[in-house]
Amino acid sequence: MRFFSKLKSLARLSDVMRRQLEMREIQLLAIGKQLSWACYRAGQLDSLADVEFKIFSQFGDDGIIQWLIHHLDIPHKTFIEFGVENYRESNTRFLMMNNNWSGFVMDGSKRNIADIVNADYFWKYDLTAKCAFIDRNNVNELVSLSSFDKEVGLLHIDLDGNDYWIWKELTVISPVIVVIEFNSIFGANRAITVPYDKGFRRTEKHHSNLYFGASISAVHKLAERKGYSFIGCNSAGNNAYFVRKDKLNGVVGERALKNGYVASKFRESRNEVGDLTFVSGHNRTALIRGMPVHNIETDAIEAF
């Protein structure tokens, strides 16, 4: 009897926690809607940081995206996001819930995808979630499964590894907005990325967790070749924003890389056993000095 009584108590506690979470999300969405109106009223910006706010994004990207979708001509209200984990913290979740956009998200973890499918929001919105480890050989096939029009509204790439190589290979869609994670520790001058490795896993490549992705310069050069203009970075210095050149207008315009680049300050370095070490600034560079990087201008592997 005690055992069943404990089970009932746990069930009641779980129900209470679920209701509290639902109430918190309702409050967050209400706050986000008000903040969105402020973004809509904002015109040209000195910096994307001027419209930042966070509801479900890790940093202030929810606000940047709200500003962009209001000021750009986007025929199809669709998004695709790579590397969403369990989607609790994501750059497109507020877009889906506040603006009712349709989405297609992917992650390499079956557990993460199961969490998304079992979430209360999953049946309320037009969201498809697929478990897949994305590489440059399968990315076009996987993206085609979305059945979206080629002119997707927003693409977000956050894979902590082959981000540059995946975007380079992606040809089946032509998004209006592209948000891509970059590695600020690689600096702003060298056009470099981690060498392509189909099975790239960030922590396995280097215990510091700082060896991943591409420099802002490498991503910028790729964007130019694909017909996109750089419009800035979030204030955290981990996401770069690009808009297709034919969609630029009097409010959303191109920005010089030197004016829009933001160096990151967050401290996510780890030691050999996985504990955070909180290394700051240029000291982070020393942790991965000598690691191989691919120079996209010379097409050669060199030391960082």
Side-chain angles (χ1 to χ4, degrees):
M1 293 296 292
R2 287 183 178 179
F3 175 75
F4 290 108
S5 178
K6 287 182 178 180
L7 283 180
K8 290 180 180 179
S9 296
L10 287 172
R12 285 195 294 270
L13 178 61
S14 176
D15 192 50
V16 169
M17 293 176 65
R18 181 181 59 79
R19 288 198 299 270
Q20 289 177 339
L21 180 61
E22 287 178 355
M23 183 56 65
R24 178 176 178 273
E25 288 202 351
I26 290 171
Q27 293 170 342
L28 282 173
L29 288 167
I31 293 169
K33 187 171 288 292
Q34 295 301 312
L35 292 171
S36 295
W37 281 110
C39 291
Y40 298 164
R41 290 192 295 270
Q44 285 184 315
L45 305 176
D46 292 327
S47 167
L48 293 182
D50 294 343
V51 290
E52 284 190 340
F53 67 79
K54 165 188 167 65
I55 300 298
F56 298 122
S57 55
Q58 185 177 28
F59 295 107
D61 299 87
D62 283 331
I64 296 173
I65 290 170
Q66 289 295 304
W67 178 75
L68 284 171
I69 66 168
H70 181 71
H71 291 292
L72 292 171
D73 174 27
I74 305 177
H76 305 284
K77 312 305 182 186
T78 55
F79 65 82
I80 296 175
E81 184 169 5
F82 303 160
V84 296
E85 296 187 345
N86 60 15
Y87 209 49
R88 290 194 184 96
E89 190 174 71
S90 166
N91 281 355
T92 59
R93 188 175 165 201
F94 183 68
L95 180 61
M96 176 183 72
M97 299 178 77
N98 184 66
N99 306 95
N100 203 27
W101 278 37
S102 300
F104 181 74
V105 298
M106 286 183 280
D107 192 83
S109 164
K110 291 182 179 179
R111 181 173 181 177
N112 283 337
I113 297 301
D115 284 347
I116 295 170
V117 172
N118 291 323
D120 185 55
Y121 59 73
F122 191 75
W123 68 269
K124 295 180 180 179
Y125 301 93
D126 183 17
L127 181 67
T128 300
K130 181 170 181 59
C131 180
F133 194 89
I134 302 164
D135 61 55
R136 63 185 180 186
N137 295 319
N138 67 15
V139 62
N140 284 299
E141 180 182 358
L142 288 171
V143 167
S144 296
L145 296 176
S146 70
S147 298
F148 290 156
D149 186 273
K150 184 175 182 178
E151 194 174 20
V152 171
L154 182 146
L155 168 68
H156 182 210
I157 303 175
D158 182 0
L159 296 173
D160 289 347
N162 291 320
D163 306 62
Y164 171 90
W165 302 108
I166 296 303
W167 190 22
K168 180 182 179 183
E169 197 66 28
L170 184 56
T171 58
V172 295
I173 57 172
S174 181
V176 175
I177 304 165
V178 175
V179 188
I180 184 167
E181 185 181 45
F182 67 95
N183 189 344
S184 177
I185 299 170
F186 282 164
N189 299 319
R190 294 170 69 187
I192 55 177
T193 177
V194 294
Y196 180 75
D197 177 356
K198 181 178 179 179
F200 189 99
R201 295 184 185 276
R202 179 174 173 178
T203 305
E204 294 175 3
K205 281 293 182 180
H206 196 273
H207 70 266
S208 69
N209 224 30
L210 303 180
Y211 176 70
F212 67 95
S215 68
I216 186 69
S217 179
V219 174
H220 185 270
K221 290 180 183 299
L222 176 60
E224 283 289 328
R225 291 201 297 269
K226 282 181 163 282
Y228 287 81
S229 291
F230 174 67
I231 61 165
C233 299
N234 65 354
S235 63
N238 72 316
N239 284 326
Y241 283 77
F242 299 90
V243 170
R244 218 172 65 209
K245 289 182 181 294
D246 64 302
K247 293 292 185 176
L248 298 175
N249 54 48
V251 177
V252 182
E254 186 171 15
R255 185 179 297 269
L257 185 59
K258 64 180 181 179
N259 297 330
Y261 168 70
V262 177
S264 68
K265 294 183 179 180
F266 50 84
R267 303 176 300 164
E268 56 181 345
S269 60
R270 297 181 180 273
N271 60 22
E272 288 83 351
V273 295
D275 297 326
L276 283 166
T277 56
F278 306 106
V279 176
S280 301
H282 294 298
N283 291 327
R284 298 174 298 174
T285 303
L287 293 177
I288 56 173
R289 181 65 70 193
M291 292 293 290
V293 292
H294 189 120
N295 186 315
I296 68 163
E297 294 182 300
T298 64
D299 196 29
I301 302 296
E302 57 192 39
F304 175 59

